[in-house]
Amino acid sequence: MSINFKKIAKEFGTPVYIYDFNYMKEQYRSLKEAFEGQKSLITYAIKANSNLSVIANFAKEGSGADCVSIGEVKRALLAGVEPYKIMFSGVGKSYDELKEALELKILMVNVESQAELYLLEEVAKELGVEARVSIRVNPNVDPKTHPYISTGLHENKFGVDIDMAKRMYIYSKNSQNLDPVGIHFHIGSQLTNLEPIAEAAEIIADLVRSLKAIDIDIKFFDVGGGLGVRYSDEVLIKPKDYANAIKKAIKGLDLTIICEPGRYLTANGGYLLTKVLYEKQNGNKRFTIVDAAMNDLLRPSLYNAYHRIEVIDKDGELTETDIVGPICESGDFLGKNILMPELEGGDLLVVYSAGAYGFTMSSNYNTRPRVCEVAIEDGNTRVIRRRETFEDLIEQEKLYLQN
Ligand SMILES: *Cc1c(COP(=O)(O)O)cnc(C)c1O
């Protein structure tokens, strides 16, 4: 689809996040279809992009939600996700969060430690219910990705090892207030190799078989998220190959596969549109200063992540420039050594692949209002979150000001 960026800049201002809802829907369908002939549930990992309208766009397709805080659970419900399609994961769920999750009757709580299992049991007992649980198992395989986004090794904080998981399943089975229905693993993000996923799936499927042997019947096989996307020239895992590797691993078992993609569904359906403010030359080094910054899109600063950046309607001789924002940090950049023609104030740049971990990681650092988000659907453009104002930023403080 071709997007009229100039028109959007004029109508909504810059910086602005733009989401292509049709693209996101297509991504959802491509994955759902890959699992055809197999019981499956896609639970969108809403931390990737938790705008209510984005979640609703997937909910209408039948998607569930993978949540990592009670706030995300409530967002998902508000956006129209069915409670019985909501998973609650995360290493540090509090007593209050667990209580609320049980009261909201979500599909299951994905438990990440023995201590959490005991607490969940206590909460379930107080409420007089049986909590459906899944246990996050750390299969100790190396996903060969960036260390910050790798989660399936023992050195990471996520999940429990296989022996501990077994003990937790047996404990849950014997508890009046716990119902062990699921098993979960998630080895990392931006995965572009199928082997580590296949290996992890085999390891976890074997665990399911050994649990079955002691009469613990798992129903949900949750393979996590992490499917990679193209930021530059990555060679991707094909959804069909992904689905087949998982189906092969669980052969002979009667399971519903749960898959929790975030980035795969949203990254390349999102654009950050920004305006050039100034160009400058420090010695031999060229800088292009734009109105978006690390507070709007943190990934380049945080992970040194690459995002393709292009100028709208401008030609000329290309030279390298660093695209930087107005924030007072040397680490504030959107792109380094990017080839660009000569630019001037008012030119528009598009930052690609900004639909995942873009707006959700944004902040108000430097008292910068968070930007507007717009959706494009069937050719129509609409606001799905208005630009913040200065008033929004000080609202929680001004009451307490003593001067
Ligand atoms: C972050 C996360 C996901 C989604 O990861 P993507 O790389 O965006 O697909 C899924 N499941 C869990 C448990 C996560 O923490």
Side-chain angles (χ1 to χ4, degrees), residues 43 45 47-48 66 68 89-90 110 112 136 151 158 184-186 188-191 222 224-228 260-264 356-357:
T43 56
K47 72 173 191 270
D66 184 62
V68 291
S89 306
N110 194 16
E112 301 216 19
R136 178 167 183 173
T151 55
F158 301 99
H184 174 270
F185 66 93
H186 169 78
S189 267
Q190 187 54 10
L191 306 173
D222 186 336
L227 270 179
E260 313 167 341
R263 188 185 316 260
Y264 177 83
Y357 308 103

Side-chain angles (χ1 to χ4, degrees), residues 23-84:
Y23 171 90
M24 291 183 182
K25 247 181 237 174
E26 282 309 314
Q27 288 297 98
Y28 176 87
R29 287 176 191 167
S30 70
L31 200 54
K32 187 69 191 166
E33 277 163 28
F35 285 103
E36 213 157 54
Q38 168 78 40
K39 284 179 286 181
S40 72
L41 173 65
I42 293 175
T43 56
Y44 167 49
I46 70 176
K47 72 173 191 270
N49 185 331
S50 49
N51 184 290
L52 290 171
S53 302
V54 171
I55 303 170
N57 185 45
F58 292 121
K60 280 180 220 151
E61 293 289 306
S63 179
D66 184 62
C67 303
V68 291
S69 70
I70 199 68
E72 284 194 354
V73 171
K74 290 194 273 194
R75 252 181 202 277
L77 289 168
L78 197 61
V81 179
E82 308 283 2
Y84 60 85

Side-chain angles (χ1 to χ4, degrees), residues 34 70 74 113 175 210 218 259 277 356 361 390:
I70 199 68
K74 290 194 273 194
S113 65
S175 164
S210 67
I218 302 297
C259 173
L277 298 172
M361 281 188 161
F390 174 69

Side-chain angles (χ1 to χ4, degrees), residues 76-292:
L77 289 168
L78 197 61
V81 179
E82 308 283 2
Y84 60 85
K85 291 181 181 174
I86 293 178
M87 297 274 306
F88 186 14
S89 306
V91 286
K93 302 178 208 77
S94 69
Y95 172 93
D96 288 341
E97 286 186 304
L98 291 172
K99 182 157 180 263
E100 213 170 338
L102 292 182
E103 284 167 347
L104 292 169
K105 299 186 165 52
I106 64 167
L107 175 60
M108 52 189 162
V109 175
N110 194 16
V111 172
E112 301 216 19
S113 65
Q114 192 176 38
E116 186 192 343
L117 188 70
Y118 293 157
L119 180 61
L120 180 66
E121 183 188 35
E122 204 180 299
V123 178
K125 200 178 217 162
E126 282 167 28
L127 295 175
V129 299
E130 204 178 17
R132 285 181 294 279
V133 300
S134 155
I135 290 166
R136 178 167 183 173
V137 185
N138 186 326
N140 200 27
V141 299
D142 186 352
K144 303 180 179 67
T145 175
H146 192 287
Y148 284 12
I149 50 184
S150 146
T151 55
L153 281 168
H154 284 164
E155 63 198 66
N156 297 122
K157 68 179 175 181
F158 301 99
V160 297
D161 64 43
I162 299 222
D163 288 338
M164 173 56 85
K166 263 190 195 161
R167 270 178 273 151
M168 286 164 68
Y169 277 111
I170 293 167
Y171 183 87
S172 305
K173 167 86 175 169
N174 293 327
S175 164
Q176 299 278 312
N177 299 96
L178 298 171
D179 185 13
V181 292
I183 196 158
H184 174 270
F185 66 93
H186 169 78
I187 59 170
S189 267
Q190 187 54 10
L191 306 173
T192 50
N193 283 312
L194 186 56
E195 293 89 80
I197 306 174
E199 189 190 333
E202 301 279 351
I203 293 169
I204 304 302
D206 280 343
L207 176 56
V208 172
R209 290 186 185 95
S210 67
L211 291 171
K212 205 174 160 70
I214 51 171
D215 217 22
I216 296 172
D217 214 359
I218 302 297
K219 296 184 182 68
F220 298 99
F221 190 78
D222 186 336
V223 300
L227 270 179
V229 300
R230 192 165 287 152
Y231 289 100
S232 57
D233 54 4
E234 293 90 342
V235 179
L236 304 181
I237 299 168
K238 293 191 183 70
K240 203 79 211 172
D241 294 341
Y242 176 67
N244 286 341
I246 296 160
K247 284 188 209 170
K248 183 167 166 259
I250 63 169
K251 212 173 171 77
L253 294 166
D254 180 23
L255 294 166
T256 297
I257 296 172
I258 297 182
C259 173
E260 313 167 341
R263 188 185 316 260
Y264 177 83
L265 297 181
T266 59
N268 280 321
Y271 307 81
L272 174 61
L273 182 61
T274 178
K275 195 173 70 188
V276 173
L277 298 172
Y278 311 102
E279 282 231 272
K280 71 191 244 183
Q281 194 88 24
N282 283 354
N284 285 331
K285 184 94 192 154
R286 176 185 168 197
F287 291 98
T288 303
I289 301 148
V290 298
D291 63 359

Side-chain angles (χ1 to χ4, degrees), residues 63 143 158 267 365 376 391 395:
S63 179
F158 301 99
Y365 188 40
I376 305 180
E391 277 302 312
E395 207 189 335

Side-chain angles (χ1 to χ4, degrees), residues 288-357:
T288 303
I289 301 148
V290 298
D291 63 359
M294 65 186 285
N295 74 299
D296 302 308
L297 180 65
L298 186 60
R299 298 187 71 258
S301 305
L302 185 62
Y303 308 125
N304 210 13
Y306 170 80
H307 284 262
R308 185 159 60 92
I309 304 178
E310 284 178 3
V311 63
I312 304 291
D313 289 347
K314 193 126 201 187
D315 304 314
E317 195 195 332
L318 303 177
T319 63
E320 284 187 354
T321 183
D322 284 7
I323 316 275
V324 301
I327 290 215
C328 299
E329 297 278 349
S330 297
D332 177 24
F333 68 95
L334 298 178
K336 283 196 166 160
N337 307 318
I338 310 289
L339 285 171
M340 282 286 163
E342 198 178 315
L343 301 171
E344 59 187 340
D347 286 338
L348 291 173
L349 302 184
V350 182
V351 184
Y352 287 85
S353 313
Y357 308 103

